[in-house]
Every structure is written in structure tokens, then in C-alpha cells.
Amino acid sequence: MPSEHSHDHDHSEVPSDLALRVKALESLLVEKGLVDPAALEILIDTYETKVGPRNGAKVVAHAWSDPDYKARLLADGSKAIAEFGFDGRQGKDIVVVENTEQVHNMVVCTLCSCYPWPVLGLPPVWYKASPYRARAVRDPVGVLKDFGVTLPEDVEIRVWDSTAELRYLVLPQRPAGTEGLSEADLAELVTRDSMIGTGLAKQPGAGGTP
Amino acid sequence: MNGAHDMGGMDGFGPINPEPDEPVFHGEWEKRVFAMTVATGFLGHWNIDMGRQAREQVDPAEYLRSSYYEKWLQGLETLLVEKGLITAEELAARKAEMAGGAP
């Protein structure tokens, strides 16, 4: 199979069957006017560089800093999140669940990959893969252990199964010793996994985790 | 409808294996599949539930074997053909043409 075809992307290896299938489909859709190549680039750029867990971290840090905002966020997640201008695809109905000393929340989509895109971006591979989807609802304690999280035994774990209509964002516990921090510094402590519930917010001065 | 996708509570899938510093996409083809799926969704020929159903109707063994964006690609091709926006023959011919061989 010679690779004489021309395209915009810089790779010289012979395309795999899958890459070829994708290219053929795109070529056909563009030719028929069903997709606009410029629109595809915008979509890719948006989800690679603009919409991601930094959005959610801002929401969480604001909720930690402003009790009124936190109350609005827990009462109507989508509406309070929209105050930041974060809305759109796969985020029409977002419910925010709060972690406390007594309750730890964890989110899964057992059927597929539903996820609150406006605040977390696209989900990581493990979230969409069979092992997490299967085990999160049966053995959340074991799953948390795989992520390096061990909770006190008296903490109740609630697992939320997302659907296309209803997606969840975990409001992690604010770490101790962060009283004087600005919202921007607090946001740095909020990891993606802490908003899925497979992690905790970082302690100030700790290293980087997802 | 249950099926291979309805896997909540099942045993035996092995460890979760989170990837450190995972990129949003793994390879150019994943980007294209993602963007084409979202862009064609805007055309209004199907909704999100029909999109998921198209991914779930593949053979269970195939479903479990496929990566996430392979499932998306399969689902998108299925919907486009079902809705008459493209034909399977056109797609096969374009693929053969781009591979440099005769159809």
C-alpha cells in the first residue's frame, strides 16, 4: 500500500487501516458538504486547549471561597456553572455533589462515557474503559485504592452513575491549612480526579497529579 | 436494552491503569473521529441517544475489543449510512481509492 496520498498532517508512515478508514470518511463528508474542515479544527482545538478540568477547578475554588456561590452550585449546578460562561455540549444538566467528612462521592458512567464536558473536558481513557465502568459500582473502595486513595472506614461512599441527561461533578473537600489562599491558588489544588471522586484535592505544596 | 455495554458490576476486566499526564487525544485519527462525530451531530439527523445506540448495536465481542474512538467511528459510519447521508459502497470505494489500489 503506497502512501502517495496527500494530506495536511505531517506523518510519513503508511497509514494503518484505521487511519485510512477515518481519512476516507472525512474526505467523503467534506466532499458532500456535510462537515466543514475549518469547523473540525475549531472543535479539536476547543477540546484540546480550551475546555478542560481547569474550568472545573475555577468553579470549585470559587465555591470554596464564597459560601453563597457554593449554595447556588449545590442547588442548581448547571446554572451556577453557567455564571462562569461554561456551558454547551454534554453539560446541560450537571448536578454537583459535595464531599464532606462523612460522605465521599464518586462518578462513573457504567453504560458508556457520560461526563460533564463544560467543566472537565473530555474524559480520560480509563473513565471510558471497561475496568472502571464495571468495578466502580461494585467495589468503590478497591477502585479508590487503585487511585491511591484510602478513606477513613466510617466515610460513606456514594457512587453516581451518569446518564446522557444527568452528569455529575464532585465538589471535593477543601484541604486543611488553605485559609489564606487566593482563589487562583486554591484552583491549583483542584485535580481532575478530585472532581470525578477518584482523587482528593492536593495539599498546598504537594506535587502534581491528574 | 442490556448488552455488552451494560457492564456495571461485572468482574474480570482487570486493573484500571490510569495513564499519567494523559493527552486529550491519542493520535490524529482520534481527533478527526471526535470532531466529525460532534460536527455531524449538529446536522440534526440523530440525537445523543441514537448516537449511543448506534455504538451499542455492534457485535458484543467487537464492542469489547474496540477502543473508545473505534466505537465512535463505527457508530458514526452506521448512522451516516442509516440516514442515507452516505452509502457503504461510497465509503469503501473512497477508502480503496485513498489506499492507492483499485476498488
Side-chain angles (χ1 to χ4, degrees), chain B residues 33-65:
Chain B
V33 171
F34 167 76
M36 284 192 283
T37 302
V38 174
T40 53
F42 289 134
L43 298 174
H45 291 277
W46 53 81
N47 62 29
I48 189 169
D49 300 312
M50 294 158 80
R52 213 188 73 204
Q53 210 255 336
R55 289 173 211 148
E56 290 167 355
Q57 70 188 29
V58 301
D59 173 78
E62 180 72 22
Y63 181 92
L64 293 172
R65 188 166 50 236

PDB file of all heavy atoms in Angstrom, chain B residues 33-65:
ATOM      1  N   VAL B  33     -12.048  11.661  14.343  1.00  0.00           N
ATOM      2  CA  VAL B  33     -13.297  10.946  14.646  1.00  0.00           C
ATOM      3  C   VAL B  33     -14.137  11.764  15.628  1.00  0.00           C
ATOM      4  O   VAL B  33     -15.346  11.923  15.455  1.00  0.00           O
ATOM      5  CB  VAL B  33     -13.001   9.540  15.235  1.00  0.00           C
ATOM      6  CG1 VAL B  33     -14.287   8.897  15.748  1.00  0.00           C
ATOM      7  CG2 VAL B  33     -12.357   8.654  14.171  1.00  0.00           C
ATOM      8  N   PHE B  34     -13.488  12.298  16.642  1.00  0.00           N
ATOM      9  CA  PHE B  34     -14.201  13.126  17.615  1.00  0.00           C
ATOM     10  C   PHE B  34     -14.891  14.302  16.921  1.00  0.00           C
ATOM     11  O   PHE B  34     -16.087  14.527  17.074  1.00  0.00           O
ATOM     12  CB  PHE B  34     -13.219  13.640  18.684  1.00  0.00           C
ATOM     13  CG  PHE B  34     -13.795  14.738  19.534  1.00  0.00           C
ATOM     14  CD1 PHE B  34     -14.706  14.453  20.540  1.00  0.00           C
ATOM     15  CD2 PHE B  34     -13.450  16.063  19.304  1.00  0.00           C
ATOM     16  CE1 PHE B  34     -15.264  15.465  21.313  1.00  0.00           C
ATOM     17  CE2 PHE B  34     -14.001  17.084  20.074  1.00  0.00           C
ATOM     18  CZ  PHE B  34     -14.912  16.788  21.072  1.00  0.00           C
ATOM     19  N   ALA B  35     -14.104  15.045  16.150  1.00  0.00           N
ATOM     20  CA  ALA B  35     -14.632  16.264  15.531  1.00  0.00           C
ATOM     21  C   ALA B  35     -15.726  15.955  14.510  1.00  0.00           C
ATOM     22  O   ALA B  35     -16.741  16.658  14.448  1.00  0.00           O
ATOM     23  CB  ALA B  35     -13.498  17.056  14.884  1.00  0.00           C
ATOM     24  N   MET B  36     -15.530  14.900  13.718  1.00  0.00           N
ATOM     25  CA  MET B  36     -16.569  14.550  12.732  1.00  0.00           C
ATOM     26  C   MET B  36     -17.866  14.144  13.427  1.00  0.00           C
ATOM     27  O   MET B  36     -18.960  14.471  12.963  1.00  0.00           O
ATOM     28  CB  MET B  36     -16.088  13.397  11.839  1.00  0.00           C
ATOM     29  CG  MET B  36     -15.086  13.816  10.788  1.00  0.00           C
ATOM     30  SD  MET B  36     -14.829  12.510   9.554  1.00  0.00           S
ATOM     31  CE  MET B  36     -13.769  11.367  10.440  1.00  0.00           C
ATOM     32  N   THR B  37     -17.730  13.420  14.541  1.00  0.00           N
ATOM     33  CA  THR B  37     -18.923  12.976  15.259  1.00  0.00           C
ATOM     34  C   THR B  37     -19.692  14.165  15.821  1.00  0.00           C
ATOM     35  O   THR B  37     -20.918  14.257  15.679  1.00  0.00           O
ATOM     36  CB  THR B  37     -18.528  12.013  16.403  1.00  0.00           C
ATOM     37  OG1 THR B  37     -17.827  10.903  15.831  1.00  0.00           O
ATOM     38  CG2 THR B  37     -19.751  11.510  17.145  1.00  0.00           C
ATOM     39  N   VAL B  38     -18.963  15.097  16.441  1.00  0.00           N
ATOM     40  CA  VAL B  38     -19.636  16.265  17.014  1.00  0.00           C
ATOM     41  C   VAL B  38     -20.228  17.130  15.896  1.00  0.00           C
ATOM     42  O   VAL B  38     -21.378  17.559  15.962  1.00  0.00           O
ATOM     43  CB  VAL B  38     -18.669  17.086  17.890  1.00  0.00           C
ATOM     44  CG1 VAL B  38     -19.339  18.372  18.368  1.00  0.00           C
ATOM     45  CG2 VAL B  38     -18.209  16.259  19.093  1.00  0.00           C
ATOM     46  N   ALA B  39     -19.444  17.353  14.846  1.00  0.00           N
ATOM     47  CA  ALA B  39     -19.895  18.230  13.755  1.00  0.00           C
ATOM     48  C   ALA B  39     -21.134  17.662  13.056  1.00  0.00           C
ATOM     49  O   ALA B  39     -22.082  18.397  12.777  1.00  0.00           O
ATOM     50  CB  ALA B  39     -18.764  18.453  12.753  1.00  0.00           C
ATOM     51  N   THR B  40     -21.132  16.359  12.777  1.00  0.00           N
ATOM     52  CA  THR B  40     -22.302  15.787  12.091  1.00  0.00           C
ATOM     53  C   THR B  40     -23.503  15.721  13.033  1.00  0.00           C
ATOM     54  O   THR B  40     -24.645  15.738  12.580  1.00  0.00           O
ATOM     55  CB  THR B  40     -22.014  14.372  11.527  1.00  0.00           C
ATOM     56  OG1 THR B  40     -21.506  13.554  12.583  1.00  0.00           O
ATOM     57  CG2 THR B  40     -21.023  14.422  10.383  1.00  0.00           C
ATOM     58  N   GLY B  41     -23.235  15.680  14.344  1.00  0.00           N
ATOM     59  CA  GLY B  41     -24.330  15.731  15.313  1.00  0.00           C
ATOM     60  C   GLY B  41     -25.141  17.007  15.170  1.00  0.00           C
ATOM     61  O   GLY B  41     -26.365  17.012  15.322  1.00  0.00           O
ATOM     62  N   PHE B  42     -24.454  18.101  14.818  1.00  0.00           N
ATOM     63  CA  PHE B  42     -25.125  19.391  14.639  1.00  0.00           C
ATOM     64  C   PHE B  42     -26.092  19.387  13.439  1.00  0.00           C
ATOM     65  O   PHE B  42     -26.933  20.271  13.328  1.00  0.00           O
ATOM     66  CB  PHE B  42     -24.108  20.527  14.444  1.00  0.00           C
ATOM     67  CG  PHE B  42     -23.328  20.873  15.687  1.00  0.00           C
ATOM     68  CD1 PHE B  42     -21.948  21.041  15.639  1.00  0.00           C
ATOM     69  CD2 PHE B  42     -23.969  21.044  16.913  1.00  0.00           C
ATOM     70  CE1 PHE B  42     -21.222  21.373  16.785  1.00  0.00           C
ATOM     71  CE2 PHE B  42     -23.254  21.376  18.058  1.00  0.00           C
ATOM     72  CZ  PHE B  42     -21.879  21.541  17.996  1.00  0.00           C
ATOM     73  N   LEU B  43     -25.923  18.419  12.535  1.00  0.00           N
ATOM     74  CA  LEU B  43     -26.800  18.382  11.358  1.00  0.00           C
ATOM     75  C   LEU B  43     -28.241  18.045  11.746  1.00  0.00           C
ATOM     76  O   LEU B  43     -29.164  18.287  10.980  1.00  0.00           O
ATOM     77  CB  LEU B  43     -26.290  17.352  10.336  1.00  0.00           C
ATOM     78  CG  LEU B  43     -24.895  17.608   9.734  1.00  0.00           C
ATOM     79  CD1 LEU B  43     -24.469  16.432   8.863  1.00  0.00           C
ATOM     80  CD2 LEU B  43     -24.886  18.901   8.916  1.00  0.00           C
ATOM     81  N   GLY B  44     -28.396  17.430  12.930  1.00  0.00           N
ATOM     82  CA  GLY B  44     -29.746  17.186  13.434  1.00  0.00           C
ATOM     83  C   GLY B  44     -30.438  15.926  12.919  1.00  0.00           C
ATOM     84  O   GLY B  44     -31.639  15.771  13.087  1.00  0.00           O
ATOM     85  N   HIS B  45     -29.672  15.027  12.321  1.00  0.00           N
ATOM     86  CA  HIS B  45     -30.302  13.796  11.827  1.00  0.00           C
ATOM     87  C   HIS B  45     -30.470  12.751  12.923  1.00  0.00           C
ATOM     88  O   HIS B  45     -31.158  11.751  12.747  1.00  0.00           O
ATOM     89  CB  HIS B  45     -29.481  13.183  10.685  1.00  0.00           C
ATOM     90  CG  HIS B  45     -29.508  14.013   9.434  1.00  0.00           C
ATOM     91  ND1 HIS B  45     -30.524  13.946   8.523  1.00  0.00           N
ATOM     92  CD2 HIS B  45     -28.644  14.949   8.977  1.00  0.00           C
ATOM     93  CE1 HIS B  45     -30.287  14.798   7.533  1.00  0.00           C
ATOM     94  NE2 HIS B  45     -29.151  15.425   7.787  1.00  0.00           N
ATOM     95  N   TRP B  46     -29.761  12.930  14.033  1.00  0.00           N
ATOM     96  CA  TRP B  46     -29.918  11.989  15.149  1.00  0.00           C
ATOM     97  C   TRP B  46     -29.646  12.743  16.445  1.00  0.00           C
ATOM     98  O   TRP B  46     -29.067  13.833  16.431  1.00  0.00           O
ATOM     99  CB  TRP B  46     -28.969  10.790  15.011  1.00  0.00           C
ATOM    100  CG  TRP B  46     -27.530  11.178  14.817  1.00  0.00           C
ATOM    101  CD1 TRP B  46     -26.651  11.547  15.792  1.00  0.00           C
ATOM    102  CD2 TRP B  46     -26.808  11.241  13.577  1.00  0.00           C
ATOM    103  NE1 TRP B  46     -25.423  11.831  15.239  1.00  0.00           N
ATOM    104  CE2 TRP B  46     -25.487  11.649  13.887  1.00  0.00           C
ATOM    105  CE3 TRP B  46     -27.132  10.977  12.250  1.00  0.00           C
ATOM    106  CZ2 TRP B  46     -24.500  11.816  12.909  1.00  0.00           C
ATOM    107  CZ3 TRP B  46     -26.152  11.152  11.279  1.00  0.00           C
ATOM    108  CH2 TRP B  46     -24.860  11.563  11.605  1.00  0.00           C
ATOM    109  N   ASN B  47     -30.073  12.149  17.549  1.00  0.00           N
ATOM    110  CA  ASN B  47     -29.787  12.761  18.842  1.00  0.00           C
ATOM    111  C   ASN B  47     -28.757  11.900  19.587  1.00  0.00           C
ATOM    112  O   ASN B  47     -28.301  10.872  19.078  1.00  0.00           O
ATOM    113  CB  ASN B  47     -31.080  12.959  19.649  1.00  0.00           C
ATOM    114  CG  ASN B  47     -31.774  11.633  19.951  1.00  0.00           C
ATOM    115  OD1 ASN B  47     -31.124  10.594  20.062  1.00  0.00           O
ATOM    116  ND2 ASN B  47     -33.093  11.666  20.074  1.00  0.00           N
ATOM    117  N   ILE B  48     -28.418  12.336  20.796  1.00  0.00           N
ATOM    118  CA  ILE B  48     -27.338  11.680  21.533  1.00  0.00           C
ATOM    119  C   ILE B  48     -27.675  10.213  21.847  1.00  0.00           C
ATOM    120  O   ILE B  48     -26.793   9.345  21.847  1.00  0.00           O
ATOM    121  CB  ILE B  48     -27.018  12.486  22.815  1.00  0.00           C
ATOM    122  CG1 ILE B  48     -25.751  11.968  23.496  1.00  0.00           C
ATOM    123  CG2 ILE B  48     -28.191  12.529  23.772  1.00  0.00           C
ATOM    124  CD1 ILE B  48     -25.234  12.874  24.612  1.00  0.00           C
ATOM    125  N   ASP B  49     -28.949   9.932  22.098  1.00  0.00           N
ATOM    126  CA  ASP B  49     -29.333   8.550  22.420  1.00  0.00           C
ATOM    127  C   ASP B  49     -29.209   7.639  21.197  1.00  0.00           C
ATOM    128  O   ASP B  49     -28.779   6.494  21.299  1.00  0.00           O
ATOM    129  CB  ASP B  49     -30.767   8.520  22.949  1.00  0.00           C
ATOM    130  CG  ASP B  49     -30.911   9.356  24.209  1.00  0.00           C
ATOM    131  OD1 ASP B  49     -30.073   9.202  25.110  1.00  0.00           O
ATOM    132  OD2 ASP B  49     -31.845  10.174  24.287  1.00  0.00           O
ATOM    133  N   MET B  50     -29.575   8.184  20.040  1.00  0.00           N
ATOM    134  CA  MET B  50     -29.427   7.397  18.811  1.00  0.00           C
ATOM    135  C   MET B  50     -27.942   7.168  18.525  1.00  0.00           C
ATOM    136  O   MET B  50     -27.547   6.119  18.025  1.00  0.00           O
ATOM    137  CB  MET B  50     -30.099   8.129  17.636  1.00  0.00           C
ATOM    138  CG  MET B  50     -31.614   8.224  17.794  1.00  0.00           C
ATOM    139  SD  MET B  50     -32.317   9.577  16.813  1.00  0.00           S
ATOM    140  CE  MET B  50     -32.371   8.801  15.198  1.00  0.00           C
ATOM    141  N   GLY B  51     -27.140   8.171  18.851  1.00  0.00           N
ATOM    142  CA  GLY B  51     -25.702   8.030  18.668  1.00  0.00           C
ATOM    143  C   GLY B  51     -25.138   6.905  19.513  1.00  0.00           C
ATOM    144  O   GLY B  51     -24.355   6.072  19.043  1.00  0.00           O
ATOM    145  N   ARG B  52     -25.567   6.872  20.761  1.00  0.00           N
ATOM    146  CA  ARG B  52     -25.059   5.811  21.644  1.00  0.00           C
ATOM    147  C   ARG B  52     -25.599   4.449  21.200  1.00  0.00           C
ATOM    148  O   ARG B  52     -24.881   3.459  21.199  1.00  0.00           O
ATOM    149  CB  ARG B  52     -25.464   6.094  23.097  1.00  0.00           C
ATOM    150  CG  ARG B  52     -24.419   5.610  24.080  1.00  0.00           C
ATOM    151  CD  ARG B  52     -24.897   5.712  25.513  1.00  0.00           C
ATOM    152  NE  ARG B  52     -25.883   4.700  25.808  1.00  0.00           N
ATOM    153  CZ  ARG B  52     -26.784   4.793  26.773  1.00  0.00           C
ATOM    154  NH1 ARG B  52     -26.838   5.855  27.520  1.00  0.00           N
ATOM    155  NH2 ARG B  52     -27.636   3.818  26.982  1.00  0.00           N
ATOM    156  N   GLN B  53     -26.855   4.422  20.806  1.00  0.00           N
ATOM    157  CA  GLN B  53     -27.437   3.145  20.387  1.00  0.00           C
ATOM    158  C   GLN B  53     -26.694   2.569  19.172  1.00  0.00           C
ATOM    159  O   GLN B  53     -26.496   1.368  19.074  1.00  0.00           O
ATOM    160  CB  GLN B  53     -28.924   3.344  20.069  1.00  0.00           C
ATOM    161  CG  GLN B  53     -29.765   2.114  20.330  1.00  0.00           C
ATOM    162  CD  GLN B  53     -30.159   1.417  19.049  1.00  0.00           C
ATOM    163  OE1 GLN B  53     -30.199   2.044  17.995  1.00  0.00           O
ATOM    164  NE2 GLN B  53     -30.418   0.130  19.139  1.00  0.00           N
ATOM    165  N   ALA B  54     -26.243   3.471  18.304  1.00  0.00           N
ATOM    166  CA  ALA B  54     -25.511   3.009  17.116  1.00  0.00           C
ATOM    167  C   ALA B  54     -24.184   2.356  17.527  1.00  0.00           C
ATOM    168  O   ALA B  54     -23.722   1.414  16.888  1.00  0.00           O
ATOM    169  CB  ALA B  54     -25.249   4.182  16.173  1.00  0.00           C
ATOM    170  N   ARG B  55     -23.592   2.854  18.609  1.00  0.00           N
ATOM    171  CA  ARG B  55     -22.334   2.248  19.080  1.00  0.00           C
ATOM    172  C   ARG B  55     -22.589   0.929  19.796  1.00  0.00           C
ATOM    173  O   ARG B  55     -21.736   0.053  19.820  1.00  0.00           O
ATOM    174  CB  ARG B  55     -21.624   3.205  20.053  1.00  0.00           C
ATOM    175  CG  ARG B  55     -21.045   4.408  19.368  1.00  0.00           C
ATOM    176  CD  ARG B  55     -20.513   5.408  20.388  1.00  0.00           C
ATOM    177  NE  ARG B  55     -20.661   6.741  19.827  1.00  0.00           N
ATOM    178  CZ  ARG B  55     -20.887   7.846  20.518  1.00  0.00           C
ATOM    179  NH1 ARG B  55     -20.971   7.806  21.824  1.00  0.00           N
ATOM    180  NH2 ARG B  55     -21.006   8.999  19.921  1.00  0.00           N
ATOM    181  N   GLU B  56     -23.776   0.831  20.403  1.00  0.00           N
ATOM    182  CA  GLU B  56     -24.057  -0.359  21.209  1.00  0.00           C
ATOM    183  C   GLU B  56     -24.563  -1.535  20.384  1.00  0.00           C
ATOM    184  O   GLU B  56     -24.603  -2.651  20.875  1.00  0.00           O
ATOM    185  CB  GLU B  56     -25.108  -0.010  22.279  1.00  0.00           C
ATOM    186  CG  GLU B  56     -24.556   0.922  23.349  1.00  0.00           C
ATOM    187  CD  GLU B  56     -25.653   1.511  24.218  1.00  0.00           C
ATOM    188  OE1 GLU B  56     -26.851   1.269  23.939  1.00  0.00           O
ATOM    189  OE2 GLU B  56     -25.302   2.227  25.175  1.00  0.00           O
ATOM    190  N   GLN B  57     -24.976  -1.269  19.149  1.00  0.00           N
ATOM    191  CA  GLN B  57     -25.580  -2.364  18.389  1.00  0.00           C
ATOM    192  C   GLN B  57     -24.561  -3.244  17.672  1.00  0.00           C
ATOM    193  O   GLN B  57     -24.931  -4.186  16.997  1.00  0.00           O
ATOM    194  CB  GLN B  57     -26.631  -1.824  17.422  1.00  0.00           C
ATOM    195  CG  GLN B  57     -26.050  -1.030  16.254  1.00  0.00           C
ATOM    196  CD  GLN B  57     -27.143  -0.356  15.443  1.00  0.00           C
ATOM    197  OE1 GLN B  57     -28.205  -0.010  15.974  1.00  0.00           O
ATOM    198  NE2 GLN B  57     -26.925  -0.184  14.161  1.00  0.00           N
ATOM    199  N   VAL B  58     -23.275  -2.942  17.847  1.00  0.00           N
ATOM    200  CA  VAL B  58     -22.279  -3.820  17.230  1.00  0.00           C
ATOM    201  C   VAL B  58     -22.221  -5.142  17.987  1.00  0.00           C
ATOM    202  O   VAL B  58     -22.683  -5.246  19.120  1.00  0.00           O
ATOM    203  CB  VAL B  58     -20.867  -3.186  17.190  1.00  0.00           C
ATOM    204  CG1 VAL B  58     -20.878  -1.892  16.416  1.00  0.00           C
ATOM    205  CG2 VAL B  58     -20.301  -2.988  18.573  1.00  0.00           C
ATOM    206  N   ASP B  59     -21.644  -6.118  17.344  1.00  0.00           N
ATOM    207  CA  ASP B  59     -21.453  -7.431  17.942  1.00  0.00           C
ATOM    208  C   ASP B  59     -20.747  -7.272  19.302  1.00  0.00           C
ATOM    209  O   ASP B  59     -19.788  -6.504  19.413  1.00  0.00           O
ATOM    210  CB  ASP B  59     -20.577  -8.233  16.975  1.00  0.00           C
ATOM    211  CG  ASP B  59     -20.181  -9.554  17.560  1.00  0.00           C
ATOM    212  OD1 ASP B  59     -21.022 -10.455  17.557  1.00  0.00           O
ATOM    213  OD2 ASP B  59     -19.029  -9.670  18.038  1.00  0.00           O
ATOM    214  N   PRO B  60     -21.235  -7.962  20.353  1.00  0.00           N
ATOM    215  CA  PRO B  60     -20.652  -7.777  21.693  1.00  0.00           C
ATOM    216  C   PRO B  60     -19.138  -7.992  21.757  1.00  0.00           C
ATOM    217  O   PRO B  60     -18.433  -7.237  22.441  1.00  0.00           O
ATOM    218  CB  PRO B  60     -21.381  -8.815  22.546  1.00  0.00           C
ATOM    219  CG  PRO B  60     -22.667  -9.061  21.836  1.00  0.00           C
ATOM    220  CD  PRO B  60     -22.392  -8.864  20.381  1.00  0.00           C
ATOM    221  N   ALA B  61     -18.650  -8.992  21.044  1.00  0.00           N
ATOM    222  CA  ALA B  61     -17.200  -9.247  21.068  1.00  0.00           C
ATOM    223  C   ALA B  61     -16.450  -8.075  20.451  1.00  0.00           C
ATOM    224  O   ALA B  61     -15.413  -7.632  20.952  1.00  0.00           O
ATOM    225  CB  ALA B  61     -16.880 -10.542  20.315  1.00  0.00           C
ATOM    226  N   GLU B  62     -17.016  -7.545  19.383  1.00  0.00           N
ATOM    227  CA  GLU B  62     -16.430  -6.390  18.710  1.00  0.00           C
ATOM    228  C   GLU B  62     -16.465  -5.164  19.643  1.00  0.00           C
ATOM    229  O   GLU B  62     -15.497  -4.415  19.741  1.00  0.00           O
ATOM    230  CB  GLU B  62     -17.235  -6.111  17.424  1.00  0.00           C
ATOM    231  CG  GLU B  62     -16.771  -4.933  16.592  1.00  0.00           C
ATOM    232  CD  GLU B  62     -15.461  -5.206  15.869  1.00  0.00           C
ATOM    233  OE1 GLU B  62     -15.144  -6.389  15.681  1.00  0.00           O
ATOM    234  OE2 GLU B  62     -14.758  -4.233  15.526  1.00  0.00           O
ATOM    235  N   TYR B  63     -17.582  -5.001  20.333  1.00  0.00           N
ATOM    236  CA  TYR B  63     -17.718  -3.875  21.267  1.00  0.00           C
ATOM    237  C   TYR B  63     -16.613  -3.912  22.318  1.00  0.00           C
ATOM    238  O   TYR B  63     -15.956  -2.908  22.601  1.00  0.00           O
ATOM    239  CB  TYR B  63     -19.096  -3.917  21.952  1.00  0.00           C
ATOM    240  CG  TYR B  63     -19.317  -2.766  22.927  1.00  0.00           C
ATOM    241  CD1 TYR B  63     -19.912  -1.577  22.514  1.00  0.00           C
ATOM    242  CD2 TYR B  63     -18.887  -2.864  24.253  1.00  0.00           C
ATOM    243  CE1 TYR B  63     -20.096  -0.517  23.391  1.00  0.00           C
ATOM    244  CE2 TYR B  63     -19.064  -1.809  25.143  1.00  0.00           C
ATOM    245  CZ  TYR B  63     -19.668  -0.635  24.706  1.00  0.00           C
ATOM    246  OH  TYR B  63     -19.829   0.408  25.587  1.00  0.00           O
ATOM    247  N   LEU B  64     -16.408  -5.089  22.889  1.00  0.00           N
ATOM    248  CA  LEU B  64     -15.429  -5.208  23.972  1.00  0.00           C
ATOM    249  C   LEU B  64     -14.000  -5.086  23.461  1.00  0.00           C
ATOM    250  O   LEU B  64     -13.117  -4.646  24.176  1.00  0.00           O
ATOM    251  CB  LEU B  64     -15.618  -6.537  24.715  1.00  0.00           C
ATOM    252  CG  LEU B  64     -16.931  -6.635  25.505  1.00  0.00           C
ATOM    253  CD1 LEU B  64     -17.136  -8.044  26.036  1.00  0.00           C
ATOM    254  CD2 LEU B  64     -16.954  -5.630  26.658  1.00  0.00           C
ATOM    255  N   ARG B  65     -13.779  -5.462  22.209  1.00  0.00           N
ATOM    256  CA  ARG B  65     -12.435  -5.437  21.645  1.00  0.00           C
ATOM    257  C   ARG B  65     -12.036  -4.017  21.191  1.00  0.00           C
ATOM    258  O   ARG B  65     -10.865  -3.676  21.177  1.00  0.00           O
ATOM    259  CB  ARG B  65     -12.387  -6.403  20.448  1.00  0.00           C
ATOM    260  CG  ARG B  65     -11.001  -6.639  19.858  1.00  0.00           C
ATOM    261  CD  ARG B  65     -10.986  -7.853  18.926  1.00  0.00           C
ATOM    262  NE  ARG B  65     -12.074  -7.779  17.950  1.00  0.00           N
ATOM    263  CZ  ARG B  65     -12.992  -8.733  17.785  1.00  0.00           C
ATOM    264  NH1 ARG B  65     -12.966  -9.819  18.497  1.00  0.00           N
ATOM    265  NH2 ARG B  65     -13.933  -8.598  16.880  1.00  0.00           N
TER     266      ARG B  65
END
